[in-house]
Amino acid sequence: MDRTGRTEEAERAERAERTADVVGFLYPGHSAEDEYPRLEAILGEVAASVRLPLVHTDIGEDAHRVDALLEMGSTARLSAGIGRLREHGAQAVVWACTSASFVFGWDGAHEQVRELSSAAALPASSTSFAFAHAVRALGAERVAVAATYPEDVAEHFRAFLKAAGAEVVSVRGAGIVTAAEVGTWGREEVLALARAGDHPDAQAVLLPDTALHTAAWLPELEAVLGKPVLTANQVTVWEGLRLLDRTVSCPALGALFDGRALAEPLLLRE
């Protein structure tokens, strides 16, 4: 114990925190936020220096409806959590929400990220861009979307991916209105969604809701479909590491993390 009363173990933990790669996440409300400590634990088996602190944002109305999503992703709501992320030592920040980023459209989503980066004085991105980067990293040209959202909201995601340069061969929306309901889904519902949304021409299947639990079932999803599966919280974490130029090989998190992804992916369309 040193003169300040700290133990050697506490000093080691503090040194490790100073040298860690810390990605901060702004997460809307409460639904599948437990995915982030789970993902950190899985990554910790191969990359102990990765930290994934999360701060909840005020979502307003919990509704997969365009007007509600535009308000959910507003600069004022996102900026409110930045100070807390900086207290965690975040070196990059990701808006961990797909629907409340892609509903702004390609240009609007870019502006959302620019404003977030400026407010945080850190590199920033969102889950929508995470999907665009991840599709490119896998080399997938044709994708299928298996969404929890109502069909009209899911179509906004199709438009976003098309703007990124990806060919979307099919879109299936499950019609779920609230993130709270999505957060209650378990393994069987997730597998059923992925199967229903797959398409024989798709080279990858995308499940775009960060309210959906998927981290525990990524290898099973890919085994069942026989192709890469990209899920919202998985790609969000991958995107945060990408912002830090950190590549982690972790097959337990699917094809995106198994070492085949490009080290420095670019958007299909900037």
Side-chain angles (χ1 to χ4, degrees):
M1 183 177 296
D2 68 12
R3 280 177 290 182
T4 66
R6 293 181 303 172
T7 65
E8 291 183 5
E9 182 178 352
E11 287 182 338
R12 283 197 299 270
E14 184 177 323
R15 285 195 298 271
E17 192 65 33
R18 286 199 300 268
T19 60
D21 289 313
V22 185
V23 182
F25 300 92
L26 295 171
Y27 186 90
H30 297 266
S31 46
E33 65 270 24
D34 53 330
E35 290 272 272
Y36 290 82
R38 180 176 292 113
L39 287 161
E40 182 178 309
I42 294 171
L43 286 169
E45 296 178 6
V46 295
S49 63
V50 171
R51 299 289 181 270
L52 308 176
L54 177 149
V55 168
H56 296 277
T57 65
D58 177 19
I59 64 173
E61 182 181 1
D62 179 12
H64 288 142
R65 200 179 65 243
V66 172
D67 62 327
L69 293 168
L70 289 170
E71 174 58 27
M72 187 185 301
S74 66
T75 301
R77 290 186 184 275
L78 300 191
S79 297
I82 288 173
R84 283 172 288 163
L85 281 183
R86 294 187 68 88
E87 290 172 2
H88 285 288
Q91 299 154 351
V93 58
V94 185
W95 169 223
C97 186
T98 326
S99 56
S101 49
F102 67 67
V103 293
F104 287 83
W106 181 255
D107 293 334
H110 271 97
E111 181 61 24
Q112 181 187 56
V113 166
R114 281 193 293 268
E115 291 177 352
L116 179 58
S117 179
S118 177
L122 293 170
S125 190
S126 69
T127 304
S128 292
F129 287 118
F131 274 109
H133 287 133
V135 168
R136 172 66 177 87
L138 289 176
E141 297 178 353
R142 300 179 304 280
V143 302
V145 173
T148 56
Y149 318 129
E151 293 283 355
D152 65 320
V153 174
E155 285 297 325
H156 282 271
F157 190 44
R158 181 205 290 270
F160 183 90
L161 293 170
K162 182 178 178 181
E167 180 183 352
V168 182
V169 296
S170 67
V171 175
R172 181 181 180 88
I176 306 301
V177 175
T178 68
E181 181 178 350
V182 173
T184 68
W185 281 21
R187 171 181 171 275
E188 292 305 318
E189 291 92 342
V190 172
L191 287 171
L193 176 68
R195 287 193 188 99
D198 191 13
H199 188 282
D201 293 336
Q203 296 167 304
V205 177
L206 282 52
L207 278 63
D209 195 342
T210 57
L212 190 67
H213 291 89
T214 61
W217 309 304
L218 285 163
E220 184 176 6
L221 282 164
E222 295 192 332
V224 167
L225 299 187
K227 64 187 67 173
V229 175
L230 299 175
T231 70
N233 293 313
Q234 169 214 34
V235 302
T236 301
V237 169
W238 178 85
E239 176 77 348
L241 295 173
R242 188 191 71 82
L243 290 175
L244 298 183
D245 294 322
R246 178 71 188 271
T247 302
V248 178
S249 179
C250 184
L253 295 182
L256 184 63
F257 278 89
D258 77 356
R260 285 186 286 149
L262 301 177
E264 297 182 1
L266 299 174
L267 279 172
L268 295 173
R269 169 180 171 262
E270 292 291 352

Short mmCIF file of all heavy atoms in Angstrom, two decimals, residues 52-85:
data_model
loop_
_atom_site.label_atom_id
_atom_site.label_comp_id
_atom_site.label_asym_id
_atom_site.label_seq_id
_atom_site.Cartn_x
_atom_site.Cartn_y
_atom_site.Cartn_z
N LEU A 52 -15.80 -0.40 -22.71
CA LEU A 52 -16.97 0.04 -23.46
C LEU A 52 -18.00 0.70 -22.54
O LEU A 52 -19.12 0.19 -22.36
CB LEU A 52 -17.61 -1.16 -24.18
CG LEU A 52 -16.69 -2.02 -25.06
CD1 LEU A 52 -17.47 -3.22 -25.62
CD2 LEU A 52 -16.08 -1.20 -26.18
N PRO A 53 -17.70 1.83 -21.94
CA PRO A 53 -18.68 2.50 -21.07
C PRO A 53 -19.88 3.01 -21.86
O PRO A 53 -19.75 3.39 -23.03
CB PRO A 53 -17.88 3.66 -20.47
CG PRO A 53 -16.81 3.93 -21.47
CD PRO A 53 -16.44 2.60 -22.04
N LEU A 54 -21.02 3.03 -21.20
CA LEU A 54 -22.27 3.40 -21.85
C LEU A 54 -23.01 4.42 -20.99
O LEU A 54 -23.05 4.30 -19.76
CB LEU A 54 -23.12 2.15 -22.06
CG LEU A 54 -24.51 2.28 -22.67
CD1 LEU A 54 -24.83 1.03 -23.48
CD2 LEU A 54 -25.57 2.44 -21.57
N VAL A 55 -23.58 5.41 -21.66
CA VAL A 55 -24.43 6.41 -21.00
C VAL A 55 -25.79 6.40 -21.69
O VAL A 55 -25.88 6.41 -22.92
CB VAL A 55 -23.79 7.82 -21.09
CG1 VAL A 55 -24.79 8.89 -20.69
CG2 VAL A 55 -22.55 7.89 -20.22
N HIS A 56 -26.85 6.39 -20.90
CA HIS A 56 -28.20 6.39 -21.44
C HIS A 56 -28.62 7.81 -21.83
O HIS A 56 -28.34 8.76 -21.12
CB HIS A 56 -29.19 5.84 -20.41
CG HIS A 56 -28.96 4.42 -20.05
ND1 HIS A 56 -29.44 3.38 -20.81
CD2 HIS A 56 -28.27 3.86 -19.03
CE1 HIS A 56 -29.08 2.24 -20.26
NE2 HIS A 56 -28.37 2.50 -19.18
N THR A 57 -29.29 7.91 -22.97
CA THR A 57 -29.86 9.20 -23.37
C THR A 57 -31.36 9.18 -23.12
O THR A 57 -31.99 8.12 -23.10
CB THR A 57 -29.60 9.49 -24.85
OG1 THR A 57 -30.29 8.54 -25.66
CG2 THR A 57 -28.11 9.44 -25.16
N ASP A 58 -31.90 10.37 -22.95
CA ASP A 58 -33.35 10.52 -22.80
C ASP A 58 -33.98 10.38 -24.19
O ASP A 58 -33.66 11.13 -25.10
CB ASP A 58 -33.65 11.89 -22.21
CG ASP A 58 -35.15 12.16 -22.09
OD1 ASP A 58 -35.93 11.18 -22.12
OD2 ASP A 58 -35.53 13.34 -21.99
N ILE A 59 -34.89 9.44 -24.35
CA ILE A 59 -35.41 9.16 -25.69
C ILE A 59 -36.70 9.91 -26.00
O ILE A 59 -37.14 9.93 -27.15
CB ILE A 59 -35.66 7.65 -25.89
CG1 ILE A 59 -36.74 7.12 -24.95
CG2 ILE A 59 -34.37 6.89 -25.73
CD1 ILE A 59 -37.14 5.68 -25.23
N GLY A 60 -37.34 10.51 -25.00
CA GLY A 60 -38.65 11.09 -25.27
C GLY A 60 -39.67 9.97 -25.38
O GLY A 60 -39.82 9.16 -24.47
N GLU A 61 -40.32 9.87 -26.52
CA GLU A 61 -41.31 8.81 -26.73
C GLU A 61 -40.64 7.56 -27.30
O GLU A 61 -39.89 7.64 -28.27
CB GLU A 61 -42.39 9.29 -27.70
CG GLU A 61 -43.50 8.26 -27.94
CD GLU A 61 -44.54 8.74 -28.93
OE1 GLU A 61 -44.39 9.87 -29.45
OE2 GLU A 61 -45.50 7.98 -29.19
N ASP A 62 -40.90 6.42 -26.69
CA ASP A 62 -40.37 5.15 -27.18
C ASP A 62 -41.27 4.67 -28.31
O ASP A 62 -42.28 4.00 -28.09
CB ASP A 62 -40.33 4.12 -26.05
CG ASP A 62 -39.80 2.76 -26.51
OD1 ASP A 62 -39.26 2.68 -27.64
OD2 ASP A 62 -39.93 1.78 -25.75
N ALA A 63 -40.89 5.00 -29.54
CA ALA A 63 -41.71 4.62 -30.68
C ALA A 63 -40.87 4.56 -31.94
O ALA A 63 -40.13 5.50 -32.25
CB ALA A 63 -42.86 5.62 -30.89
N HIS A 64 -40.99 3.44 -32.66
CA HIS A 64 -40.38 3.32 -33.98
C HIS A 64 -41.29 4.02 -34.98
O HIS A 64 -41.98 3.39 -35.78
CB HIS A 64 -40.18 1.84 -34.34
CG HIS A 64 -39.08 1.18 -33.58
ND1 HIS A 64 -39.17 -0.12 -33.13
CD2 HIS A 64 -37.88 1.64 -33.17
CE1 HIS A 64 -38.05 -0.44 -32.49
NE2 HIS A 64 -37.26 0.61 -32.50
N ARG A 65 -41.28 5.34 -34.88
CA ARG A 65 -42.08 6.21 -35.73
C ARG A 65 -41.19 7.38 -36.13
O ARG A 65 -40.45 7.90 -35.29
CB ARG A 65 -43.31 6.69 -34.97
CG ARG A 65 -44.46 7.19 -35.84
CD ARG A 65 -45.63 7.64 -34.99
NE ARG A 65 -45.30 8.79 -34.17
CZ ARG A 65 -45.30 8.76 -32.83
NH1 ARG A 65 -45.64 7.67 -32.17
NH2 ARG A 65 -44.97 9.86 -32.15
N VAL A 66 -41.22 7.79 -37.37
CA VAL A 66 -40.22 8.72 -37.89
C VAL A 66 -40.14 9.99 -37.06
O VAL A 66 -39.04 10.44 -36.70
CB VAL A 66 -40.49 9.04 -39.37
CG1 VAL A 66 -39.57 10.16 -39.85
CG2 VAL A 66 -40.29 7.78 -40.22
N ASP A 67 -41.26 10.61 -36.71
CA ASP A 67 -41.19 11.87 -35.97
C ASP A 67 -40.56 11.67 -34.60
O ASP A 67 -39.74 12.49 -34.14
CB ASP A 67 -42.57 12.52 -35.85
CG ASP A 67 -43.56 11.65 -35.08
OD1 ASP A 67 -43.48 10.40 -35.17
OD2 ASP A 67 -44.45 12.20 -34.40
N ALA A 68 -40.90 10.58 -33.93
CA ALA A 68 -40.33 10.29 -32.61
C ALA A 68 -38.84 9.99 -32.72
O ALA A 68 -38.04 10.39 -31.85
CB ALA A 68 -41.05 9.11 -31.97
N LEU A 69 -38.44 9.31 -33.79
CA LEU A 69 -37.02 8.96 -33.97
C LEU A 69 -36.18 10.20 -34.27
O LEU A 69 -35.04 10.31 -33.82
CB LEU A 69 -36.89 7.93 -35.08
CG LEU A 69 -37.49 6.56 -34.77
CD1 LEU A 69 -37.55 5.70 -36.03
CD2 LEU A 69 -36.70 5.85 -33.67
N LEU A 70 -36.73 11.13 -35.04
CA LEU A 70 -36.00 12.37 -35.32
C LEU A 70 -35.75 13.15 -34.03
O LEU A 70 -34.67 13.72 -33.83
CB LEU A 70 -36.78 13.23 -36.32
CG LEU A 70 -36.83 12.69 -37.75
CD1 LEU A 70 -37.83 13.50 -38.58
CD2 LEU A 70 -35.45 12.73 -38.41
N GLU A 71 -36.71 13.17 -33.14
CA GLU A 71 -36.53 13.85 -31.85
C GLU A 71 -35.54 13.07 -30.98
O GLU A 71 -34.69 13.66 -30.30
CB GLU A 71 -37.86 13.99 -31.14
CG GLU A 71 -37.76 14.56 -29.72
CD GLU A 71 -37.09 15.93 -29.67
OE1 GLU A 71 -37.15 16.69 -30.66
OE2 GLU A 71 -36.48 16.23 -28.62
N MET A 72 -35.63 11.75 -31.00
CA MET A 72 -34.74 10.91 -30.20
C MET A 72 -33.27 11.15 -30.55
O MET A 72 -32.40 11.13 -29.68
CB MET A 72 -35.09 9.43 -30.43
CG MET A 72 -34.37 8.45 -29.53
SD MET A 72 -34.73 6.73 -29.99
CE MET A 72 -36.52 6.68 -29.80
N GLY A 73 -33.01 11.36 -31.84
CA GLY A 73 -31.64 11.55 -32.30
C GLY A 73 -31.22 12.99 -32.41
O GLY A 73 -30.19 13.28 -33.04
N SER A 74 -31.94 13.90 -31.79
CA SER A 74 -31.61 15.32 -31.89
C SER A 74 -30.30 15.63 -31.17
O SER A 74 -29.90 14.95 -30.21
CB SER A 74 -32.73 16.17 -31.29
OG SER A 74 -32.85 15.94 -29.89
N THR A 75 -29.64 16.67 -31.61
CA THR A 75 -28.35 17.05 -31.04
C THR A 75 -28.46 17.32 -29.55
O THR A 75 -27.59 16.95 -28.76
CB THR A 75 -27.80 18.30 -31.75
OG1 THR A 75 -27.65 18.00 -33.14
CG2 THR A 75 -26.45 18.71 -31.18
N ALA A 76 -29.53 17.98 -29.14
CA ALA A 76 -29.70 18.32 -27.72
C ALA A 76 -29.74 17.06 -26.85
O ALA A 76 -29.13 17.01 -25.77
CB ALA A 76 -30.96 19.14 -27.52
N ARG A 77 -30.48 16.05 -27.31
CA ARG A 77 -30.58 14.82 -26.51
C ARG A 77 -29.25 14.07 -26.46
O ARG A 77 -28.88 13.51 -25.42
CB ARG A 77 -31.69 13.92 -27.06
CG ARG A 77 -33.09 14.47 -26.82
CD ARG A 77 -34.17 13.49 -27.24
NE ARG A 77 -35.49 14.06 -27.09
CZ ARG A 77 -36.18 14.07 -25.95
NH1 ARG A 77 -35.68 13.52 -24.87
NH2 ARG A 77 -37.39 14.62 -25.90
N LEU A 78 -28.53 14.05 -27.57
CA LEU A 78 -27.25 13.34 -27.58
C LEU A 78 -26.19 14.08 -26.79
O LEU A 78 -25.41 13.46 -26.04
CB LEU A 78 -26.77 13.13 -29.03
CG LEU A 78 -27.69 12.33 -29.95
CD1 LEU A 78 -26.96 11.98 -31.24
CD2 LEU A 78 -28.21 11.08 -29.28
N SER A 79 -26.14 15.39 -26.93
CA SER A 79 -25.09 16.17 -26.28
C SER A 79 -25.16 16.09 -24.75
O SER A 79 -24.14 16.22 -24.07
CB SER A 79 -25.19 17.64 -26.71
OG SER A 79 -24.96 17.77 -28.10
N ALA A 80 -26.34 15.83 -24.22
CA ALA A 80 -26.52 15.81 -22.77
C ALA A 80 -25.69 14.72 -22.09
O ALA A 80 -25.33 14.85 -20.92
CB ALA A 80 -28.00 15.63 -22.42
N GLY A 81 -25.36 13.66 -22.82
CA GLY A 81 -24.62 12.55 -22.20
C GLY A 81 -23.13 12.59 -22.42
O GLY A 81 -22.40 11.76 -21.86
N ILE A 82 -22.64 13.56 -23.18
CA ILE A 82 -21.23 13.57 -23.55
C ILE A 82 -20.31 13.76 -22.35
O ILE A 82 -19.27 13.11 -22.24
CB ILE A 82 -20.98 14.64 -24.63
CG1 ILE A 82 -21.58 14.19 -25.96
CG2 ILE A 82 -19.48 14.92 -24.78
CD1 ILE A 82 -21.56 15.23 -27.04
N GLY A 83 -20.68 14.65 -21.44
CA GLY A 83 -19.84 14.91 -20.28
C GLY A 83 -19.59 13.65 -19.47
O GLY A 83 -18.46 13.40 -19.03
N ARG A 84 -20.62 12.84 -19.30
CA ARG A 84 -20.45 11.61 -18.53
C ARG A 84 -19.55 10.62 -19.24
O ARG A 84 -18.77 9.90 -18.60
CB ARG A 84 -21.82 10.99 -18.24
CG ARG A 84 -22.59 11.69 -17.13
CD ARG A 84 -24.01 11.18 -17.02
NE ARG A 84 -24.82 11.63 -18.14
CZ ARG A 84 -25.98 11.08 -18.48
NH1 ARG A 84 -26.45 10.03 -17.83
NH2 ARG A 84 -26.66 11.58 -19.50
N LEU A 85 -19.62 10.57 -20.57
CA LEU A 85 -18.72 9.69 -21.31
C LEU A 85 -17.27 10.14 -21.18
O LEU A 85 -16.36 9.32 -21.05
CB LEU A 85 -19.11 9.62 -22.79
CG LEU A 85 -20.29 8.73 -23.14
CD1 LEU A 85 -20.51 8.72 -24.65
CD2 LEU A 85 -20.08 7.29 -22.63
#
